[in-house]
Amino acid sequence: MSTTITATLSTASGHRLGGPNEYKPDMKYEDFNGYKFAPIRESQVSREMVTRYMNDMLYYAESDVVIVGCGSANLSCAWELSKDSSLKIAIIEQSVSPGGGCWLGGQLFSAMVVRKPAQKFLDELDVPYDEKDTYVVVKHAALFTSTILSKLLMRPNVKLFNATAAEDLIVKDGKVAGVVTNWTLVSLNHNTQSCMDPNVVEAKVVVSGTGHDGPMGASGVKRLEAIGLIDEKKGMLSLDMNAAEDDIVKYTREVVPGMVVTGMELAELDGAPRMGPTFGAMLISGQKAAYAVRASLKRQAEEEEAASKA
């Protein structure tokens, strides 16, 4: 799949000219004169927002899968998982704007480089790109992010809770069984106030993809290390794109019962190299994480069935 964009330029003005058929808008400027919206009470707006959000909180308080972080790896994971309409999927994102670092390429440049054969994931989403010998280039990383976000959030079995932080994990008998949540602004201000208790979301599997080290980076594996469920994390190595992308996909797995780790959080756990602005491994690590989730759910169901028969 390759997209070539051509344009006819005016040599006199440098402005882009139209194509062979002149565009004719559906309306005229004057048509907006006297434009009026249907009336509404301010309280109606509040009730709609609060009712829908609180109903979502009630519904997703017990989920099949909770995905912590909404960067490119976890978006890819959520997309793959959401194909199964029987799964209830909650996404927890600490930022107001989901997408992680995938709104831009490297050093605030816009293009997104994806090494082959990961472009097949872009084909599935109908994201256009320019094709090279061993990689493809999406003209703006935001094109990927906005496309997968819009398609994912239209699915009825997915809810994104943004501006929400996963402060901790629910752990029972060595198994991760959900996350402890709070508004992000509350989480960032625990030291300035008295106790502000959190909320919880129970889940059969938690997917942690919070990126490499940073203010809230690698939070899942940091917590696993702190409570002794994993050995000391190794820390991310220096940049090596070729090694990093292969390693991240290879290391994607269920790290402890009930918790799958994906994306650059794995670099902190397993000592993989820094990746830099190449995104193929993010897409495929997320996709592989979804398969790890399915395997975990199947194993848990078999264990529950065996226990019921014992």
Side-chain angles (χ1 to χ4, degrees), residues 283-295:
L283 313 186
I284 306 307
S285 174
Q287 189 177 42
K288 182 182 177 183
Y291 281 83
V293 169
R294 291 180 181 130

Side-chain angles (χ1 to χ4, degrees), residues 167-202:
E167 291 188 337
D168 202 349
L169 302 171
I170 302 172
V171 179
K172 299 180 180 180
D173 299 323
K175 179 190 180 299
V176 175
V179 293
V180 179
T181 64
N182 219 323
W183 306 124
T184 300
L185 291 178
V186 172
S187 293
L188 293 173
N189 283 279
H190 280 307
N191 293 333
T192 67
Q193 302 291 327
S194 59
C195 179
M196 294 178 284
D197 282 333
N199 211 334
V200 297
V201 179
E202 292 187 14

Side-chain angles (χ1 to χ4, degrees), residues 299-310:
R299 188 198 71 247
Q300 291 181 48
E302 291 171 348
E303 290 172 350
E304 290 175 6
E305 183 179 2
S308 67
K309 294 178 180 178

Side-chain angles (χ1 to χ4, degrees), residues 7-121:
T8 303
L9 299 178
S10 165
T11 56
S13 66
H15 293 299
R16 193 180 298 271
L17 300 178
N21 299 317
E22 182 182 357
Y23 170 68
K24 295 182 179 179
D26 296 332
M27 300 172 64
K28 298 178 180 178
Y29 177 75
E30 293 78 13
D31 291 337
F32 291 94
N33 293 340
Y35 191 98
K36 288 186 178 296
F37 292 96
I40 194 169
R41 293 182 62 191
E42 286 78 0
S43 58
Q44 286 178 277
V45 176
S46 293
R47 287 192 179 105
E48 286 293 344
M49 291 190 301
V50 172
T51 300
R52 289 171 184 266
Y53 197 89
M54 292 305 172
N55 282 337
D56 284 337
M57 292 184 74
L58 290 171
Y59 181 69
Y60 285 94
E62 291 183 66
S63 295
D64 295 301
V65 186
V66 169
I67 297 177
V68 182
C70 198
S72 51
N74 272 357
L75 281 170
S76 301
C77 178
W79 171 257
E80 179 65 37
L81 284 173
S82 68
K83 295 174 183 177
D84 182 351
S85 60
S86 70
L87 292 179
K88 189 191 301 186
I89 303 162
I91 305 174
I92 308 295
E93 166 56 43
Q94 58 90 14
S95 177
V96 171
S97 56
C102 203
W103 288 110
L104 289 167
Q107 199 171 316
L108 306 184
F109 297 138
S110 55
M112 178 183 187
V113 176
V114 176
R115 291 165 61 199
K116 294 180 177 180
Q119 87 282 1
K120 294 177 183 177
F121 193 86

Side-chain angles (χ1 to χ4, degrees), residues 140-151:
H140 202 299
L143 180 57
F144 164 79
T145 309
S146 58
T147 300
I148 192 171
L149 262 174
S150 61
K151 291 186 175 183

